[in-house]
């Protein structure tokens, strides 16, 4: 049954032992390890939460963080924004360089960036919200919600954890899309129907990272809610969390685009060249969400405080996928899974047309980068 309205009021409830950074590729991938508070002399985590008035870090410690991070990032010629926090306290927050190299617009920590695949954490959360409210079920076939979907064996969960075997929509768009405007998620569905593609493997038997799966997850959100994906995300995520610098980019509606957003560039012999929108930019869910580090911190706190989704739903999201042969995969529902120094990390990187992004949440220490 297709549901054309989806309306609800949601109430949003509004130490230092080791720290290091690692630079990779042309921009930066930075890993932060914030260990337990044993060295600070505090006796327990419970007491730590009760001492609301006492900051986690002294002014001297915060100054050390600031000097160390700033020196490291400047050495790497980093152009971007960084935020590091632990247990609700921002340790470091700074922007370096330019949002737009054409006019030297400076970056701030409120500048929206193309999140690339970090967008998948939001798309998965939208699906899990609908699942939690019994609008959909993640173990139902995708055809239940998109009747024309040409792969009856695939479930919503298969799309969420990249075990569907569906092929890359980008190839279809590049080969068959001839219109002067970029295709939407609905258009991608029509391409799959008009130009049938075999699956790479039977659903549930292997893991293969798939942007296509998340494009169809965003389409499920649109079909069952009767809203565009952009409107749904604004109404049920960005607005309640006061993520005022976060939006879904819609190239068919350029008048809605934020001019103060960051733009993707690539280095050339005499500076930087703007990377224009491409045919794939009309599709959202796998990418397409813009946000700032300050807004992503609100997203992080909403997870920690369980303000939009309850804890058992986040545990579902952070559980590894299980294949038919019972082998597990280090990917949950919209999140990559990692362990470091016996601590659990959920994270997602992103890369798209001049942007590289990383969001890491250290579950056991309530720290985020």
């Amino acid at each position: 049954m297709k549901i054309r309205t989806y309306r609800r009021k949601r109430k949003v409830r509004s130490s230092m032992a080791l720290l290091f950074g690692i630079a990779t590729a042309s921009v930066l991938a930075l890993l932060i390890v914030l260990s337990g508070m044993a060295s600070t002399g505090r006796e327990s985590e419970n007491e730590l939460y009760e001492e609301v008035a006492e900051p986690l870090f002294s002014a001297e410690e915060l100054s050390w963080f600031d000097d160390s991070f700033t020196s490291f990032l400047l050495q790497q010629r980093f152009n971007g924004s960084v935020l590091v926090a632990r247990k609700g306290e921002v340790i470091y927050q700074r922007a370096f360089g330019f949002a737009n190299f054409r006019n030297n617009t400076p970056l701030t920590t409120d500048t929206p960036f193309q999140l690339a695949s970090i967008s998948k954490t939001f798309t998965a959360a939208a699906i899990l919200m609908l699942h939690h409210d019994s609008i959909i079920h993640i173990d139902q076939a995708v055809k239940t919600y998109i009747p024309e979907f040409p792969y009856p064996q695939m479930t919503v969960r298969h799309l969420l954890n990249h075990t569907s075997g569906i092929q890359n929509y980008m190839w279809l768009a590049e080969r068959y899309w001839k219109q002067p405007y970029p295709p939407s998620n609905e258009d991608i569905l029509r391409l799959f129907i008009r130009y049938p593609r075999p699956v790479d493997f039977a659903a549930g038997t292997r893991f293969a990272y798939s942007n296509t799966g998340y494009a169809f997850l965003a389409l499920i959100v649109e079909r069952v809610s009767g809203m565009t994906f952009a409107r749904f995300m604004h109404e049920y995520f960005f607005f309640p969390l006061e993520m005022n610098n976060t939006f879904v980019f819609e190239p068919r509606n350029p008048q809605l685009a934020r001019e103060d957003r960051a733009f993707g560039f690539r280095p050339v012999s005499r500076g930087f060249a703007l990377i224009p929108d491409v045919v794939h930019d009309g599709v959202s869910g796998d990418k397409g969400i813009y946000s700032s580090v300050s807004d992503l911190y609100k997203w992080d706190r909403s997870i920690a405080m369980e303000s939009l989704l309850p804890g058992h739903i986040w545990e579902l999201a952070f559980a590894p996928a299980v294949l038919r042969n019972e082998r597990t995969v280090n990917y949950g529902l919209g999140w990559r899974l990692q362990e470091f120094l016996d601590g659990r990390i959920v994270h997602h990187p992103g890369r798209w047309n001049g942007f590289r992004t990383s969001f890491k949440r250290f579950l056991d220490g309530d720290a985020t980068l």
Side-chain angles (χ1 to χ4, degrees):
M1 176 175 155
K2 184 162 62 175
I3 298 173
R4 280 297 176 188
T5 58
Y6 182 68
R7 298 286 190 276
R8 293 180 305 166
K9 293 183 179 179
R10 291 185 169 273
K11 182 179 179 181
V12 180
R13 301 193 297 267
S14 314
S15 286
M16 182 175 78
L18 180 63
L19 175 72
F20 64 89
I22 301 173
T24 63
S26 63
V27 185
L28 187 70
L30 187 63
L31 175 63
I32 302 303
V33 179
L34 293 172
S35 69
M37 301 296 290
S39 62
T40 66
R42 297 186 175 92
E43 295 181 359
S44 72
E45 292 293 322
N46 289 334
E47 290 181 7
L48 179 64
Y49 281 110
E50 292 170 1
E51 295 172 6
V52 177
E54 182 179 352
L56 289 174
F57 301 97
S58 68
E60 291 77 13
E61 288 171 330
L62 291 175
S63 177
W64 181 86
F65 279 123
D66 187 82
D67 291 344
S68 299
F69 268 74
T70 300
S71 175
F72 174 74
L73 295 170
L74 288 174
Q75 288 174 13
Q76 300 299 324
R77 301 178 67 186
F78 178 64
N79 192 94
S81 302
V82 178
L83 184 145
V84 183
R86 185 169 189 206
K87 294 189 184 297
E89 181 175 340
V90 174
I91 300 168
Y92 184 84
Q93 182 176 201
R94 183 167 290 191
F96 299 80
F98 301 104
N100 189 334
F101 284 94
R102 294 171 300 182
N103 53 22
N104 292 336
T105 302
L107 280 168
T108 75
T109 55
D110 290 325
T111 300
F113 280 74
Q114 162 69 268
L115 294 184
S117 285
I118 294 177
S119 302
K120 292 179 173 71
T121 69
F122 290 96
T123 305
I127 290 290
L128 290 172
M129 179 181 284
L130 294 166
H131 171 83
H132 177 60
D133 292 339
S134 300
I135 306 298
I136 67 171
H137 196 287
I138 61 172
D139 289 317
Q140 284 288 338
V142 177
K143 282 181 69 71
T144 306
Y145 313 108
I146 306 175
E148 317 95 293
F149 190 70
Y151 305 102
Q153 74 278 19
M154 292 181 194
T155 67
V156 177
R157 188 191 293 267
H158 289 142
L159 302 184
L160 284 165
N161 60 24
H162 301 289
T163 61
S164 68
I166 196 168
Q167 291 196 9
N168 191 350
Y169 79 83
M170 295 185 179
W171 183 87
L172 277 176
E174 291 165 2
R175 186 176 182 89
Y176 296 114
W177 186 254
K178 306 301 181 184
Q179 303 302 321
Y181 49 84
S184 67
N185 294 50
E186 288 280 4
D187 292 324
I188 293 300
L189 173 62
R190 285 188 278 270
L191 287 179
F192 269 90
I193 294 170
R194 184 173 181 181
Y195 305 101
R197 301 295 300 164
V199 295
D200 288 336
F201 51 84
T205 62
R206 287 172 49 191
F207 173 88
Y209 189 82
S210 171
N211 288 308
T212 307
Y214 273 75
F216 283 122
L217 289 171
L219 184 56
I220 290 174
V221 172
E222 293 185 330
R223 288 289 186 94
V224 303
S225 70
M227 305 180 192
T228 65
F229 182 68
R231 182 181 172 192
F232 184 93
M233 296 309 300
H234 175 78
E235 186 160 331
Y236 291 103
F237 287 88
F238 308 151
F239 180 75
L241 295 176
E242 298 183 356
M243 297 175 67
N244 299 321
N245 298 304
T246 304
F247 58 92
V248 177
F249 180 59
E250 298 178 281
R252 289 196 188 186
N253 298 303
Q255 71 278 7
L256 302 178
R258 291 270 298 267
E259 286 302 317
D260 61 343
R261 70 188 187 276
F263 290 82
F265 286 80
R266 59 181 176 84
V268 294
S269 59
R270 295 185 178 181
F272 296 90
L274 175 69
I275 300 177
D277 295 339
V278 295
V279 66
H280 317 108
D281 281 313
V283 178
S284 56
D286 58 325
K287 57 180 175 357
I289 294 178
Y290 276 66
S291 190
S292 64
V293 290
S294 55
D295 272 7
L296 285 178
Y297 184 53
K298 296 175 183 178
W299 177 226
D300 172 81
R301 298 322 297 161
S302 77
I303 298 170
M305 302 303 293
E306 302 174 11
S307 56
L308 289 181
L309 293 169
H312 73 274
I313 294 294
W314 287 117
E315 285 302 316
L316 178 66
F318 302 153
V322 181
L323 303 179
R324 286 190 194 174
N325 62 6
E326 299 186 357
R327 184 172 68 89
T328 59
V329 176
N330 288 329
Y331 198 99
L333 306 181
W335 296 86
R336 293 186 181 273
L337 311 177
Q338 181 182 359
E339 290 190 4
F340 192 82
L341 296 181
D342 297 323
R344 293 185 303 157
I345 302 171
V346 295
H347 69 106
H348 220 296
R351 180 185 297 187
W352 185 250
N353 286 351
F355 294 91
R356 292 193 182 182
T357 59
S358 178
F359 182 103
K360 288 182 180 286
R361 173 157 178 74
F362 298 76
L363 294 177
D364 300 318
D366 189 16
T368 188
L369 165 64

